[in-house]
Amino acid sequence: MASTRPAGPESPDTSEVRRRRRSPGRLAGYGGTFLGASVLAGVLLAGMALPAVGALGLTAKNTAESFDDIPDDFKAPPLTQATQIFDAKGGLIAKVYERDRTVLTAEQMAPIMRQAQVDIEDARFYEHGAVDLKGVLRAASKNAESGTTAQGASTLTQQYVKNVNVEKAGDDVAAVQEAQRKTLGRKIQELKYAIKLEEDLTKDQILTNYLNITYYGNGAYGVEAASQRYFSKSDKDLTVPEAATLAGLVQNPSQYDPKLHPQAATTRRNVVIDKMLENKHITADQARDAKAAPLGLAYRSPQNGCITAGAGMGFFCDYVRHVVKQDPAFGKTAADRKKLWDQGGLNIYTTLDPDKQAAAQDAVSSNVRVTDTVSAATTMIEPGTGRILAMAQTRPYGLDTTKNQTVVNFNVDYAMGGGNGFQPGSTFKPIVAAAALEAGLPPTQSYSAPNRLDYPTMKTCDGTWRNTVTGKGRSVPNESANEKGPYELKEAMARSVNTYFVQMEQEIGLCPVKQMANKLGITAKASGKPLEEVPAMALGVEEMSPLTMANVYATFAARGMYCAPLAISRITTVQGKDVPVPAPHCDRAFSESTADVINTILNGVTETGTGADLGLDDGRQIAGKTGTSDQKKAAWFDGYTPRLATAVWLGGPAGGVEMRNITINGKFTREVFGASGPGPIWRDAMNQALRGTPKQRLQMADIPDPAPRTDPGATPTDGADPSPSGRPSTPGTSGRPRDGRATTRP
């Protein structure tokens, strides 16, 4: 049956006509002045809901004076809503919220839901003002008869005011309790605000606001969240019995919880249905059918936060949260950015490619078990844009350590939700090479590269580094005893010769290496501590994250164009308004000619060097570098094609696992190298991610091969450096950095 009351927004003309037609009794609800209404309200409050008022000596005059002292600038805060995070193809990654709410307009709400809520909470809502005098007198009479204050007479507008005060309190328990206290002062305040609201808003607007703010239990705020929670459908699709069930919850969401107390919920629902029939919003046949219907719950548990993300996307989801809270694009201050996140109501569209995410997650999960003592992590980046396409790790996102879960994102820096990073080992050597080429050294640069070399004196940005180390830590060895030069750059990179790159550092100085690292996005260690200008920098002793290293290699693939990592492509509010996001930011880190040399020598690593076994199934060109850190506590392979750059780390989550005589994925290995540990993970991830995509060739330079060697040297290695650091040792140590462990925060 059609409603006899307005179901949608009314025009100003209609509203004015209705105001002029109000009876004197109804006008008292608004009051020609606040004083007249407050006197009446004070008397009624004293006699109805607060019987102790008379005993306290509070008179109508006292109440009126208190009433007039209350400011009338009532403002409802923006309602907190759920934020949804989507992948690059529009799939939902996760829904995050302080309060699960989706704000609807009146037109988006089911008329039957609006009618049901009014019928059970305030049937005369469209007939009275801020105060329902008939309701007050009826409640006062019943309370007098029963000797209790069980019968209330708050109008729907007054209830809305109370809900607004609770909303303003947020998560402050004391403030919430204060907003809900049943005191005379609180009642007077709610009444004055209700009067002001009824002057400023139409009844339909007040009802819409009420339905969006009200709590329906089980973490659902507003009718849309409630509809989704209990019936897995939108509010606009509710049936009569479903609308009645939700409307009945408002009085006591716990007592009438249909999931925990189905009988009580059914009884309450039927009371609402009777009210709807009484007010002629449904027919007798509809009422009969509705009461005969089962509750018909299709309950959907609250899904809040990154922990609900599937396909290993929880860590990327958490990274997005850190971006919003830290990037100045989302607010000038940390408080502004936190407010934006907490307020919610955002649709965040990210760069994460679900297909490449699946490839990355499959690769780490199929090569390393959750229960292994080591873990693996990988990040994929699109060269030339900085778009983060995948972010995966073996350990699942969560708080249950008995299931090897963690909330530490091994792919990112500490400030973005990660740990303190991991030594990248020889994957740092191409950065030294890029700095040397930019300084004017030729691609055929040759050094003696002895099997062991004392760290030489080197220039820094601010002075000179001198070797004051005594003992073993004073020098750097190559990986194999028979590995010695001379070598040129191409072969030195393929074999990962440690002493060669220390000699290269000596020639150009440490400052250009640090500056090149800065240009490639490495402005600090993963922990946030400053980079140290030490010779062992070339050997990758300063902890980095996979995201950082993936972006370094993406810059190589993009022929020297560095682009800051980008996780968010667009944000809109639930109303469709665009929210400014960080703009893509790219700068040239080094020349294309330097990049072409780097591509050539890193392609050589995968053709004849330490990564020769990592070719892709379709034979496309690749380039990359292996790396193994101090005492085999971290192993890496970072590589790329022109379309995709991927970094893979393997090691102990806390950095303390020596990967010797170790079982990984059920297979025993005596010693892990970059090519044997993370290398296969990289290959599996890239094979799956690039399957079916066009092949592109790397831009490379023509570098003459060196003359044949008289002594063949050793087989290629990762250039692992088991003892030297190039840092001053402390008494009782071997000279290795004591902070070299890839520690994670709690």
Side-chain angles (χ1 to χ4, degrees):
M1 177 179 293
S3 171
T4 59
R5 307 173 191 180
E10 57 185 344
S11 68
D13 290 343
T14 303
S15 177
E16 181 61 26
V17 169
R18 292 180 60 207
R19 286 183 184 275
R20 291 174 180 175
R21 289 179 178 176
R22 290 190 178 110
S23 66
R26 287 164 61 193
L27 281 174
Y30 292 88
T33 65
F34 285 145
L35 180 59
S38 62
V39 171
L40 175 61
V43 173
L44 293 172
L45 287 166
M48 179 194 68
L50 295 161
V53 168
L56 292 173
L58 294 177
T59 66
K61 180 177 183 295
N62 298 140
T63 306
E65 290 172 350
S66 300
F67 189 92
D68 288 334
D69 288 340
I70 299 171
D72 60 2
D73 58 342
F74 177 76
K75 292 180 181 179
L79 296 181
T80 56
Q81 299 185 68
T83 284
Q84 297 186 101
I85 303 174
F86 300 96
D87 63 35
K89 292 188 176 181
L92 181 65
I93 294 176
K95 186 178 180 181
V96 296
Y97 49 81
E98 294 296 319
R99 290 184 176 175
D100 189 7
R101 176 190 284 119
T102 300
V103 173
L104 301 179
T105 63
E107 293 76 16
Q108 293 171 322
M109 294 178 180
I112 196 67
M113 182 67 221
R114 295 171 69 87
Q115 292 160 354
Q117 199 69 75
V118 170
D119 288 343
I120 192 61
E121 288 298 317
D122 187 0
R124 299 183 62 254
F125 174 63
Y126 282 95
E127 300 170 15
H128 61 66
V131 176
D132 180 5
L133 299 185
K134 290 183 180 179
V136 168
L137 294 173
R138 181 178 62 251
S141 175
K142 290 189 176 181
N143 287 342
E145 291 174 3
S146 64
T148 69
T149 59
Q151 181 74 37
S154 291
T155 63
L156 190 144
T157 306
Q158 289 173 279
Q159 292 181 43
Y160 169 65
V161 170
K162 182 177 182 178
N163 286 337
V164 168
N165 288 331
V166 172
E167 181 76 14
K168 286 180 178 179
D171 296 326
D172 187 329
V173 176
V176 170
Q177 292 174 342
E178 177 61 26
Q180 295 175 329
R181 284 180 62 199
K182 293 182 178 180
T183 65
L184 178 60
R186 176 66 61 188
K187 281 290 184 180
I188 293 172
Q189 182 191 65
E190 290 174 2
L191 174 58
K192 184 164 186 179
Y193 287 157
I195 293 172
K196 186 71 169 73
L197 273 174
E198 293 260 358
E199 290 185 339
D200 294 342
L201 302 178
T202 67
K203 287 288 190 177
D204 283 323
Q205 289 172 328
I206 293 171
L207 176 58
T208 299
N209 292 350
Y210 177 89
L211 290 168
N212 278 318
I213 199 172
T214 297
Y215 182 58
Y216 288 86
N218 284 292
Y221 290 82
V223 289
E224 179 64 17
S227 300
Q228 296 289 353
R229 179 76 72 252
Y230 296 107
F231 299 109
S232 297
K233 63 170 64 174
S234 178
D235 172 85
K236 64 183 177 60
D237 299 320
L238 290 174
T239 64
V240 171
E242 290 168 346
T245 298
L246 296 185
L249 286 171
V250 172
Q251 185 183 83
N252 193 322
S254 299
Q255 181 177 334
Y256 300 125
D257 184 338
K259 188 171 182 288
L260 298 178
H261 310 294
Q263 186 55 55
T266 300
T267 301
R268 177 65 175 168
R269 177 200 69 176
N270 292 345
V271 170
V272 178
I273 293 171
D274 288 338
K275 286 289 186 181
M276 296 175 74
L277 176 61
E278 177 184 330
N279 288 286
K280 301 181 180 180
H281 285 131
I282 57 175
T283 65
D285 288 343
Q286 286 178 308
R288 183 183 63 251
D289 293 344
K291 293 172 77 170
L295 280 176
L297 293 183
Y299 186 80
R300 183 181 294 170
S301 297
Q303 298 292 304
N304 182 21
C306 296
I307 200 168
T308 65
M313 297 182 185
F315 295 100
F316 178 78
C317 170
D318 187 65
Y319 178 76
V320 169
R321 178 176 67 88
H322 279 84
V323 170
V324 173
K325 288 191 170 185
Q326 295 187 39
D327 197 299
F330 298 109
K332 292 183 179 180
T333 67
D336 291 337
R337 297 188 290 271
K338 182 179 185 300
K339 181 179 179 181
L340 175 68
W341 180 263
D342 292 347
Q343 193 66 53
L346 305 175
N347 291 320
I348 301 178
Y349 301 94
T350 72
T351 61
L352 197 75
D353 183 318
D355 298 326
K356 290 181 173 57
Q357 175 67 22
Q361 192 62 50
D362 289 348
V364 294
S365 298
S366 61
N367 285 278
V368 182
R369 296 176 183 175
V370 172
T371 54
D372 286 343
T373 56
V374 296
S375 186
T378 181
T379 295
M380 292 181 172
I381 289 183
E382 182 178 71
T385 68
R387 291 168 62 88
I388 302 172
L389 303 179
M391 186 178 284
Q393 66 187 54
T394 306
R395 299 289 168 94
Y397 188 83
L399 298 169
D400 191 345
T401 56
T402 64
K403 296 181 179 179
N404 294 292
Q405 295 177 353
T406 181
V407 293
V408 178
N409 186 347
F410 301 141
N411 276 291
V412 301
D413 292 350
Y414 180 89
M416 302 303 289
N420 287 339
F422 312 95
Q423 292 180 330
S426 294
T427 62
F428 198 90
K429 288 174 180 174
I431 299 175
V432 179
L437 292 167
E438 287 291 284
L441 271 62
T444 55
Q445 179 67 38
S446 176
Y447 293 109
S448 61
N451 185 254
R452 179 177 287 273
L453 175 72
D454 280 358
Y455 283 108
T457 298
M458 297 187 189
K459 292 291 184 180
T460 67
C461 294
D462 299 317
T464 303
W465 182 91
R466 290 183 173 83
N467 191 345
T468 60
V469 179
T470 57
K472 185 178 180 181
R474 180 177 178 81
S475 61
V476 53
N478 292 328
E479 176 70 6
S480 300
N482 61 346
E483 188 175 70
K484 56 185 178 180
Y487 293 110
E488 292 185 6
L489 176 58
K490 188 175 181 180
E491 186 178 8
M493 189 70 77
R495 293 179 177 275
S496 200
V497 181
N498 290 334
T499 57
Y500 176 94
F501 289 95
V502 172
Q503 289 181 311
M504 178 172 275
E505 263 187 332
Q506 181 190 21
E507 179 162 351
I508 65 173
L510 291 171
C511 191
V513 177
K514 180 181 179 181
Q515 291 171 339
M516 179 57 66
N518 292 165
K519 291 178 181 179
L520 292 169
I522 305 175
T523 56
K525 301 180 187 181
S527 64
K529 295 179 180 179
L531 291 176
E532 298 178 62
E533 290 182 77
V534 293
M537 180 188 296
L539 309 179
V541 298
E542 305 198 58
E543 297 82 5
M544 304 295 157
S545 66
L547 172 61
T548 295
M549 295 308 296
N551 211 29
V552 168
Y553 281 70
T555 307
F556 297 154
R559 301 187 73 195
M561 186 61 69
Y562 167 81
C563 297
L566 198 65
I568 298 172
S569 56
R570 183 178 178 229
I571 296 180
T572 64
T573 66
V574 290
Q575 292 81 21
K577 181 181 177 181
D578 284 328
V579 175
V581 300
H585 180 77
C586 299
D587 289 307
R588 178 154 295 283
F590 47 82
S591 67
E592 289 186 350
S593 59
T594 291
D596 294 347
V597 173
I598 296 294
N599 285 341
T600 304
I601 61 177
L602 292 184
N603 174 254
V605 172
T606 64
E607 294 285 343
T608 61
T610 57
D613 293 333
L614 302 178
L616 301 183
D617 292 346
D618 60 8
R620 72 178 70 208
Q621 278 188 331
I622 61 173
K625 184 70 186 77
T626 56
T628 308
S629 77
D630 187 16
Q631 300 177 22
K632 306 293 184 184
K633 291 182 179 180
W636 296 71
F637 187 79
D638 304 341
Y640 56 93
T641 68
R643 300 174 63 92
L644 185 63
T646 301
V648 178
W649 157 84
L650 175 70
V657 178
E658 291 190 26
M659 292 185 288
R660 293 187 175 95
N661 299 317
I662 190 172
T663 297
I664 301 175
N665 197 33
K667 300 175 184 177
F668 175 81
T669 182
R670 291 194 179 278
E671 194 170 22
V672 172
F673 291 95
S676 62
I681 299 174
W682 183 91
R683 182 181 57 209
D684 290 351
M686 293 290 279
N687 274 331
Q688 185 175 333
L690 294 172
R691 188 172 296 131
T693 64
K695 297 180 183 179
Q696 289 183 318
R697 297 186 64 81
L698 295 164
Q699 294 288 333
M700 294 197 289
D702 183 15
I703 304 175
D705 289 326
R709 293 173 53 83
T710 55
D711 52 353
T715 57
T717 71
D718 282 343
D721 175 24
S723 61
S725 69
R727 301 178 183 176
S729 63
T730 54
T733 73
S734 65
R736 297 306 299 154
R738 303 307 297 171
D739 62 343
R741 300 187 306 275
T743 56
T744 57
R745 61 180 182 179

